[in-house]
Amino acid sequence: MNWWRGLKVKVKFQEPMKKHTTFRVGGPARYFTQPRDTQDLKLLLKSRERDNIPILILGAGSNILAADKGVDGLVIHLHSPFFKKLSLKKSRIYASCGVSLSKVSSFAKEHGLSGLEFLAGIPGTVGGALAMNAGLPGENIGDLVEMVTVMDYQGRIKTLNKKNIKFAYRQSNLARYIILSAVLKMIKKNKQEIKDSVRRYLKSRHRSQDTCWPSAGCVFKNPARESAGRLIDLCGLKGKKIGDACISKKHANFILNLGSAKAHDVLRLMALVEKKVKNKFNVNLEPEIKIWQ
Ligand code: EPU
Protein backbone atom coordinates (compact mmCIF):
# COMPACT_ATOMS: atom_id res chain seq x y z
CA MET A 1 0.00 0.00 0.00
CA ASN A 2 1.22 3.53 -0.76
CA TRP A 3 2.56 5.26 2.35
CA TRP A 4 0.32 8.34 1.90
CA ARG A 5 -2.95 6.36 1.75
CA GLY A 6 -5.38 7.32 4.51
CA LEU A 7 -3.73 10.65 5.29
CA LYS A 8 -6.03 13.69 5.45
CA VAL A 9 -3.32 16.03 4.24
CA LYS A 10 -2.82 16.27 0.49
CA VAL A 11 0.47 14.90 -0.86
CA LYS A 12 1.54 16.30 -4.24
CA PHE A 13 3.86 14.48 -6.61
CA GLN A 14 6.66 15.98 -8.69
CA GLU A 15 6.18 19.51 -7.34
CA PRO A 16 8.75 21.85 -8.97
CA MET A 17 11.17 23.18 -6.36
CA LYS A 18 11.93 26.24 -8.46
CA LYS A 19 8.45 27.45 -7.39
CA HIS A 20 9.48 27.27 -3.72
CA THR A 21 13.06 28.56 -3.61
CA THR A 22 14.24 32.16 -3.80
CA PHE A 23 16.90 31.00 -6.29
CA ARG A 24 14.04 29.95 -8.62
CA VAL A 25 16.08 26.85 -9.44
CA GLY A 26 15.39 23.16 -8.96
CA GLY A 27 13.62 20.12 -10.34
CA PRO A 28 10.61 18.35 -8.83
CA ALA A 29 10.25 17.05 -5.29
CA ARG A 30 9.14 13.41 -5.36
CA TYR A 31 6.57 14.16 -2.65
CA PHE A 32 5.47 17.58 -1.39
CA THR A 33 3.00 18.47 1.32
CA GLN A 34 1.77 21.34 3.48
CA PRO A 35 0.49 19.93 6.80
CA ARG A 36 -2.27 21.94 8.49
CA ASP A 37 -0.97 21.47 12.02
CA THR A 38 1.29 19.37 14.28
CA GLN A 39 -1.17 16.47 14.20
CA ASP A 40 -0.87 16.25 10.40
CA LEU A 41 2.88 16.59 10.72
CA LYS A 42 3.11 13.75 13.20
CA LEU A 43 1.00 11.46 10.99
CA LEU A 44 3.16 12.29 7.98
CA LEU A 45 6.32 11.40 9.90
CA LYS A 46 4.83 8.07 10.97
CA SER A 47 3.42 7.16 7.55
CA ARG A 48 6.64 7.63 5.63
CA GLU A 49 8.64 5.62 8.20
CA ARG A 50 7.97 2.20 6.70
CA ASP A 51 9.42 3.21 3.30
CA ASN A 52 12.17 5.21 4.98
CA ILE A 53 11.45 8.27 2.86
CA PRO A 54 13.85 11.13 3.59
CA ILE A 55 12.25 14.31 4.92
CA LEU A 56 13.23 17.83 3.97
CA ILE A 57 11.73 20.77 5.83
CA LEU A 58 11.01 23.84 3.74
CA GLY A 59 10.51 27.36 5.09
CA ALA A 60 10.92 30.27 2.71
CA GLY A 61 13.37 28.30 0.53
CA SER A 62 15.86 31.15 0.81
CA ASN A 63 18.97 29.11 1.48
CA ILE A 64 18.40 26.11 -0.75
CA LEU A 65 19.78 24.94 -4.05
CA ALA A 66 17.60 22.09 -5.30
CA ALA A 67 19.11 19.72 -7.87
CA ASP A 68 17.88 19.87 -11.48
CA LYS A 69 16.93 16.19 -11.43
CA GLY A 70 14.77 16.89 -8.39
CA VAL A 71 14.65 15.99 -4.73
CA ASP A 72 14.18 12.35 -3.84
CA GLY A 73 12.18 12.62 -0.64
CA LEU A 74 9.21 14.23 1.07
CA VAL A 75 9.40 18.01 1.20
CA ILE A 76 7.31 19.33 4.08
CA HIS A 77 6.39 22.98 3.68
CA LEU A 78 5.37 24.53 7.01
CA HIS A 79 3.17 27.16 5.43
CA SER A 80 -0.33 26.83 6.88
CA PRO A 81 -1.80 29.48 9.25
CA PHE A 82 -1.08 27.14 12.21
CA PHE A 83 2.64 27.53 11.54
CA LYS A 84 2.41 31.31 11.15
CA LYS A 85 1.25 32.43 14.57
CA LEU A 86 2.77 35.51 16.13
CA SER A 87 1.99 36.92 19.58
CA LEU A 88 3.38 38.93 22.39
CA LYS A 89 3.62 38.72 26.16
CA LYS A 90 5.37 41.64 27.85
CA SER A 91 8.70 41.89 26.05
CA ARG A 92 8.66 38.35 24.65
CA ILE A 93 7.67 37.46 21.10
CA TYR A 94 6.11 34.03 20.49
CA ALA A 95 6.71 33.14 16.84
CA SER A 96 5.81 29.98 14.95
CA CYS A 97 8.32 28.53 12.52
CA GLY A 98 6.59 29.65 9.31
CA VAL A 99 6.45 33.36 10.19
CA SER A 100 8.58 35.36 7.80
CA LEU A 101 11.53 37.29 9.18
CA SER A 102 10.18 40.53 7.70
CA LYS A 103 6.87 39.94 9.52
CA VAL A 104 8.47 39.24 12.89
CA SER A 105 10.80 42.20 12.47
CA SER A 106 7.95 44.63 11.65
CA PHE A 107 5.81 43.16 14.48
CA ALA A 108 8.65 43.91 16.90
CA LYS A 109 9.01 47.43 15.47
CA GLU A 110 5.26 48.15 15.85
CA HIS A 111 5.39 47.08 19.50
CA GLY A 112 8.52 49.05 20.36
CA LEU A 113 10.64 45.94 20.86
CA SER A 114 14.26 45.95 19.82
CA GLY A 115 16.66 43.13 18.98
CA LEU A 116 15.52 41.92 15.57
CA GLU A 117 16.29 45.01 13.50
CA PHE A 118 19.21 43.26 11.79
CA LEU A 119 16.80 40.76 10.21
CA ALA A 120 15.17 43.45 8.09
CA GLY A 121 15.41 42.54 4.45
CA ILE A 122 16.63 38.97 5.02
CA PRO A 123 14.28 36.59 3.22
CA GLY A 124 13.52 33.57 5.41
CA THR A 125 11.30 32.18 8.12
CA VAL A 126 11.77 31.94 11.87
CA GLY A 127 12.31 28.15 11.63
CA GLY A 128 14.99 28.42 8.95
CA ALA A 129 16.69 31.33 10.68
CA LEU A 130 16.88 29.39 13.96
CA ALA A 131 18.13 26.18 12.34
CA MET A 132 21.05 28.04 10.81
CA ASN A 133 21.38 30.86 13.34
CA ALA A 134 20.86 33.55 10.72
CA GLY A 135 22.41 36.92 11.18
CA LEU A 136 25.24 39.24 10.43
CA PRO A 137 28.71 39.27 11.86
CA GLY A 138 28.19 39.94 15.57
CA GLU A 139 24.38 39.68 15.55
CA ASN A 140 22.58 36.37 15.34
CA ILE A 141 18.98 35.35 15.97
CA GLY A 142 20.23 32.76 18.49
CA ASP A 143 21.22 35.56 20.88
CA LEU A 144 17.53 36.39 21.43
CA VAL A 145 16.21 32.87 21.91
CA GLU A 146 14.79 31.93 25.28
CA MET A 147 12.94 28.75 24.38
CA VAL A 148 12.23 26.65 21.29
CA THR A 149 9.52 24.04 20.75
CA VAL A 150 10.49 21.29 18.35
CA MET A 151 9.22 17.97 17.03
CA ASP A 152 11.63 15.09 16.64
CA TYR A 153 11.42 12.77 13.64
CA GLN A 154 9.38 10.29 15.67
CA GLY A 155 6.69 12.94 16.15
CA ARG A 156 7.44 13.80 19.79
CA ILE A 157 7.13 17.44 20.79
CA LYS A 158 9.80 18.84 23.13
CA THR A 159 10.52 22.22 24.60
CA LEU A 160 14.17 23.19 24.73
CA ASN A 161 15.39 26.00 26.90
CA LYS A 162 18.44 28.14 26.39
CA LYS A 163 20.70 25.67 28.17
CA ASN A 164 19.86 22.82 25.75
CA ILE A 165 20.31 24.89 22.60
CA LYS A 166 23.73 25.38 21.06
CA PHE A 167 24.16 28.12 18.51
CA ALA A 168 27.33 28.71 16.52
CA TYR A 169 28.17 30.64 13.36
CA ARG A 170 25.45 29.68 10.86
CA GLN A 171 24.53 26.50 12.72
CA SER A 172 22.63 25.15 15.70
CA ASN A 173 21.79 21.81 17.25
CA LEU A 174 18.13 22.59 16.38
CA ALA A 175 18.70 21.50 12.79
CA ARG A 176 18.24 17.86 13.88
CA TYR A 177 14.62 18.60 14.84
CA ILE A 178 11.63 20.14 13.14
CA ILE A 179 11.43 23.58 14.73
CA LEU A 180 7.84 24.52 15.60
CA SER A 181 8.05 27.82 17.45
CA ALA A 182 10.29 30.03 19.53
CA VAL A 183 10.17 32.56 22.33
CA LEU A 184 12.38 35.56 21.63
CA LYS A 185 13.34 37.90 24.44
CA MET A 186 13.34 41.48 23.24
CA ILE A 187 14.25 44.84 24.74
CA LYS A 188 11.78 47.73 24.98
CA LYS A 189 12.95 50.74 23.01
CA ASN A 190 11.67 53.93 21.47
CA LYS A 191 9.81 53.08 18.22
CA GLN A 192 11.50 55.83 16.24
CA GLU A 193 14.95 54.51 17.23
CA ILE A 194 13.96 51.03 16.08
CA LYS A 195 12.63 52.41 12.78
CA ASP A 196 15.85 54.35 12.18
CA SER A 197 17.94 51.30 12.93
CA VAL A 198 15.86 49.12 10.53
CA ARG A 199 16.27 51.80 7.85
CA ARG A 200 20.06 51.76 8.33
CA TYR A 201 20.21 47.96 7.99
CA LEU A 202 18.07 48.03 4.84
CA LYS A 203 20.15 50.81 3.34
CA SER A 204 23.40 49.01 3.99
CA ARG A 205 21.98 45.78 2.53
CA HIS A 206 20.76 47.51 -0.62
CA ARG A 207 24.07 49.30 -1.01
CA SER A 208 26.18 46.15 -0.82
CA GLN A 209 23.93 43.33 -2.04
CA ASP A 210 22.12 42.50 -5.25
CA THR A 211 18.42 42.11 -4.54
CA CYS A 212 17.16 42.56 -8.12
CA TRP A 213 17.76 38.97 -9.21
CA PRO A 214 16.76 35.68 -7.63
CA SER A 215 19.49 34.28 -5.37
CA ALA A 216 19.99 32.35 -2.14
CA GLY A 217 21.89 35.14 -0.38
CA CYS A 218 25.48 34.42 0.57
CA VAL A 219 26.58 31.16 -0.99
CA PHE A 220 29.59 30.46 1.25
CA LYS A 221 30.15 30.86 4.97
CA ASN A 222 32.71 33.43 5.99
CA PRO A 223 36.02 31.85 6.97
CA ALA A 224 37.26 32.87 10.44
CA ARG A 225 37.95 36.63 10.60
CA GLU A 226 37.49 36.95 6.82
CA SER A 227 34.75 37.69 4.31
CA ALA A 228 34.16 35.06 1.64
CA GLY A 229 32.86 37.87 -0.60
CA ARG A 230 36.13 39.79 -0.30
CA LEU A 231 38.23 36.71 -1.17
CA ILE A 232 36.08 35.84 -4.19
CA ASP A 233 36.23 39.46 -5.30
CA LEU A 234 40.05 39.46 -5.02
CA CYS A 235 40.09 36.42 -7.33
CA GLY A 236 38.52 38.67 -9.98
CA LEU A 237 35.38 36.57 -10.24
CA LYS A 238 32.69 39.27 -10.07
CA GLY A 239 30.48 39.02 -13.14
CA LYS A 240 31.69 35.49 -13.99
CA LYS A 241 28.85 33.58 -15.69
CA ILE A 242 28.09 29.92 -16.30
CA GLY A 243 24.82 29.55 -18.18
CA ASP A 244 22.43 31.96 -16.52
CA ALA A 245 24.18 31.74 -13.13
CA CYS A 246 26.32 34.78 -12.48
CA ILE A 247 28.54 36.01 -9.63
CA SER A 248 27.11 39.34 -8.54
CA LYS A 249 29.08 42.43 -9.50
CA LYS A 250 27.94 44.04 -6.26
CA HIS A 251 28.76 41.28 -3.76
CA ALA A 252 30.96 38.39 -4.85
CA ASN A 253 29.44 35.92 -2.36
CA PHE A 254 26.09 36.13 -4.18
CA ILE A 255 25.28 33.98 -7.19
CA LEU A 256 22.37 35.37 -9.19
CA ASN A 257 19.90 33.58 -11.41
CA LEU A 258 19.69 35.81 -14.48
CA GLY A 259 16.69 33.95 -15.87
CA SER A 260 16.91 30.25 -16.48
CA ALA A 261 19.93 29.18 -14.42
CA LYS A 262 20.18 25.48 -13.64
CA ALA A 263 21.44 24.02 -10.38
CA HIS A 264 24.20 22.47 -12.46
CA ASP A 265 25.39 25.98 -13.55
CA VAL A 266 25.38 27.20 -9.93
CA LEU A 267 27.32 24.13 -8.77
CA ARG A 268 29.94 24.60 -11.50
CA LEU A 269 30.32 28.24 -10.52
CA MET A 270 30.67 27.26 -6.86
CA ALA A 271 33.34 24.69 -7.73
CA LEU A 272 35.24 27.33 -9.71
CA VAL A 273 35.06 29.77 -6.77
CA GLU A 274 36.26 27.12 -4.32
CA LYS A 275 39.19 26.23 -6.59
CA LYS A 276 40.29 29.83 -7.21
CA VAL A 277 40.05 30.82 -3.53
CA LYS A 278 41.96 27.69 -2.50
CA ASN A 279 44.72 28.35 -5.06
CA LYS A 280 45.10 32.04 -4.24
CA PHE A 281 44.57 32.10 -0.46
CA ASN A 282 44.83 28.46 0.62
CA VAL A 283 41.35 28.82 2.16
CA ASN A 284 38.67 26.14 1.89
CA LEU A 285 35.29 27.81 1.46
CA GLU A 286 32.35 25.98 2.95
CA PRO A 287 28.90 26.39 1.38
CA GLU A 288 26.31 28.16 3.49
CA ILE A 289 23.48 27.19 1.19
CA LYS A 290 22.00 23.72 1.51
CA ILE A 291 22.09 21.49 -1.53
CA TRP A 292 19.01 19.30 -1.85
CA GLN A 293 19.02 16.31 -4.14
N1 EPU B 1 33.65 42.73 0.28
C1 EPU B 1 34.39 42.89 -0.87
N2 EPU B 1 33.86 42.43 -2.04
C2 EPU B 1 32.64 41.82 -2.10
C3 EPU B 1 31.89 41.65 -0.92
C4 EPU B 1 32.42 42.13 0.26
O1 EPU B 1 35.48 43.43 -0.84
O2 EPU B 1 32.25 41.44 -3.20
C5 EPU B 1 34.18 43.29 1.53
C6 EPU B 1 33.35 44.45 2.02
O3 EPU B 1 33.76 45.65 1.42
C7 EPU B 1 33.60 44.42 3.51
C8 EPU B 1 33.77 42.93 3.81
O4 EPU B 1 34.08 42.31 2.56
O5 EPU B 1 34.79 45.05 3.82
C9 EPU B 1 32.51 42.31 4.41
O6 EPU B 1 31.43 42.48 3.49
P1 EPU B 1 29.89 42.59 3.98
O7 EPU B 1 29.75 43.68 4.96
O8 EPU B 1 29.06 42.62 2.75
O9 EPU B 1 29.65 41.29 4.82
P2 EPU B 1 29.87 39.77 4.48
O10 EPU B 1 30.79 39.24 5.52
O11 EPU B 1 30.27 39.53 3.06
C10 EPU B 1 27.92 39.03 5.99
C11 EPU B 1 26.88 37.95 5.93
C12 EPU B 1 25.68 38.45 5.13
C13 EPU B 1 25.12 39.70 5.78
C14 EPU B 1 26.23 40.76 5.78
C15 EPU B 1 25.78 42.03 6.47
C16 EPU B 1 27.88 35.71 5.87
C17 EPU B 1 28.33 34.60 4.98
N3 EPU B 1 27.42 36.78 5.23
O12 EPU B 1 28.41 39.22 4.67
O13 EPU B 1 24.68 37.42 5.21
O14 EPU B 1 24.00 40.19 5.06
O15 EPU B 1 27.36 40.23 6.52
O16 EPU B 1 26.78 42.96 6.53
O17 EPU B 1 27.94 35.59 7.08
C18 EPU B 1 23.67 35.53 4.15
O18 EPU B 1 24.00 34.91 5.17
O19 EPU B 1 23.00 35.02 3.23
C19 EPU B 1 24.14 36.91 4.03
C20 EPU B 1 24.01 37.56 2.90
Side-chain angles (χ1 to χ4, degrees), residues 1-18:
M1 192 168 89
N2 293 327
W3 68 267
W4 61 87
R5 287 282 294 277
L7 285 172
K8 282 199 193 122
V9 63
K10 194 170 158 196
V11 175
K12 290 190 190 176
F13 308 96
Q14 304 300 324
E15 173 73 2
M17 287 307 294
K18 63 179 350 176

Side-chain angles (χ1 to χ4, degrees), residues 63 122 132 135-137 169-170 204-205 208-209 216-218 220-222 226-230 233 238 250-254 288:
N63 215 38
I122 300 186
M132 60 170 298
L136 327 174
Y169 172 63
R170 293 297 187 271
S204 139
R205 189 174 299 282
S208 64
Q209 299 176 1
C218 283
F220 295 98
K221 293 182 184 178
N222 280 342
E226 209 9 303
S227 157
R230 198 180 81 87
D233 190 356
K238 277 185 170 173
K250 232 171 164 182
H251 195 298
N253 199 10
F254 276 57
E288 176 179 312

Side-chain angles (χ1 to χ4, degrees), residues 31-49:
Y31 307 110
F32 181 93
T33 185
Q34 296 177 319
R36 287 161 305 179
D37 52 24
T38 44
Q39 193 56 27
D40 270 359
L41 183 57
K42 191 174 167 178
L43 289 172
L44 274 165
L45 295 175
K46 277 262 158 273
S47 307
R48 62 90 214 190
E49 241 172 20

Side-chain angles (χ1 to χ4, degrees), residues 48-112:
R48 62 90 214 190
E49 241 172 20
R50 194 198 60 202
D51 295 355
N52 208 13
I53 295 168
I55 300 256
L56 299 114
I57 303 294
L58 178 69
S62 58
N63 215 38
I64 290 164
L65 177 64
D68 299 318
K69 67 172 176 16
V71 177
D72 189 16
L74 167 63
V75 172
I76 300 183
H77 192 199
L78 300 175
H79 191 60
S80 74
F82 180 91
F83 296 110
K84 290 190 178 176
K85 289 185 262 184
L86 195 52
S87 64
L88 183 72
K89 214 185 260 176
K90 293 194 178 154
S91 58
R92 286 177 176 79
I93 290 182
Y94 293 70
S96 298
C97 55
V99 176
S100 71
L101 296 180
S102 58
K103 189 120 192 228
V104 75
S105 153
S106 53
F107 181 80
K109 189 172 69 180
E110 276 160 33
H111 290 91

